[in-house]
Amino acid sequence: MNWSSIRGWLGTVARLVVGAVWIWAAWSKLGNPRGFVQAVRAYDATPEWLSKAIGYGLPVLEICLGVLLVLGIVTRYAAALSGLLFVVFLVGLIQADARGIKLECGCFGGGGTTTGSTQYVLDILRDVGLLALAVFIVVWPLTRISVEEFLARNDYVEPPSAKRMRTDAGQRKYNAMLEARRRDALIRNRYVSAALAAVVVLVSVIGIGVQANRAKIQGDVTATNASVKNGVVVGKAAPVTVDVFEDFQCPICEKFEQSAHADVAAKIKSGQIQVRYHMMAFLDSSSNGNRYSSRAANAALCASDVNVDTFAKYHDILYGKDTSGAQVQPAEGSNGRTDAQLLGYARQAGLTGTNLTTFQTCVNTEQHKALVQAITDNASKRGVSGTPTVMVNGKKIGGTVDQKSLDAAIASAAAKAPKPTVTPTPSTSASTPSTPATSPKTTPKTSPKTTPSP
């Protein structure tokens, strides 16, 4: 076999591999459009409008590229666009690694921030390998078992006999036929390429609309003592507001709570701070299919329906220990806690009677499922790419979040907060105009009237 024959088969393998990868990647992301947008936001590299365009449109574009490559039509253009996307993916991974952002790439579904180990090296090597295959196809686009190969058969011109080829007229006729077929093929390819490009653009635009509609949160996003914007507010209005973004499956959140809980509670009680707890759910994949993050966040919001104090107690229990002294937070990759266990923690928080029954119904039906989704998505929009994330008066604490860094941020915010204006109490003498004193009215003494002597 010569290189031309081998090259065609190698290109076929490369084309099918890249096409299959695109279809696999698209299929794994199409089912969760909102989750993929959050995974894109986690890279912290694109504005919100572009994050949504990528999150909703990329899976649709991927499946279009996959189909074109598997069928073997406009192969060079599909491979060129594939190579461009692989370069973009590599840039995204490298910048995330350089900035110390811990995330899963989301290339095949899931994605977003992670508390576990990252696989940047494997992700980068995979994309480099796929980029090499795409370049190979761009350079040598004619492959076997493809639509293009089938169309090329119609471009073949049967050469005339050797006798006719020996004459000038015979050669001119044959060359003219070759040129006509080549010109027809070129025109056909242009029309086919333009038509397919238009179809891909149209399908991608429609796909963005469909995915955006599917990403809309369905259900009630209101609760008695919680909101999408502020989560659950604990404490009275104070000079310093602390926003805490947590996930009940997050082990770093657990460490933060265990170290800073007493100090935070004391500051809330003394009126120094007000804390807004945003309970997120992005680590469902870490509970062995149990969706513990979502169900635990829902249960905490159910507790807040009773009152804020009950939420605070329940929140502390989920990051603490149960009545037997066992750690409540399940280990990553293990089965999450059951609804029955979540009910038991409510009893531990002091719920009884009607409140306990209402709580149980709220947990079993996931009454606040939509609110949990909305809080998670709102946090993602605010640039929260990992938990715990703490903002003090709207400013995110950088680096490791612990009691020391929190205390420093609170002290700094308190120093900058406007001091309450004290209006002095006016004194009576200053406010009441004085009344001039009047002496008692006296009748003037008159001397006795004398008559002059004659």
Side-chain angles (χ1 to χ4, degrees), residues 151-159 174 178 181:
L151 294 175
R153 294 173 186 170
N154 297 324
D155 301 330
Y156 178 73
V157 178
E158 184 72 28
Y174 177 66
L178 285 178
R181 290 291 177 89

Side-chain angles (χ1 to χ4, degrees), residues 209-242:
V210 171
Q211 290 293 88
N213 187 62
R214 294 180 62 224
K216 291 180 180 178
I217 295 171
Q218 305 293 330
D220 187 7
V221 294
T222 61
T224 305
N225 294 305
S227 68
V228 175
K229 181 180 178 180
N230 295 327
V232 180
V233 181
V234 179
K236 297 180 180 179
V240 178
T241 300
V242 180

Side-chain angles (χ1 to χ4, degrees), residues 280-302:
M280 301 171 60
F282 71 94
L283 291 175
D284 277 340
S285 60
S286 299
S287 56
N288 202 21
N290 185 264
R291 296 179 56 253
Y292 177 71
S293 290
S294 294
R295 294 187 306 102
N298 173 75
L301 294 178
C302 293

Side-chain angles (χ1 to χ4, degrees), residues 252-264:
I252 304 177
C253 298
E254 180 189 57
K255 292 178 182 178
F256 167 71
E257 284 295 336
Q258 291 182 353
S259 66
H261 164 69
D263 182 57
V264 169

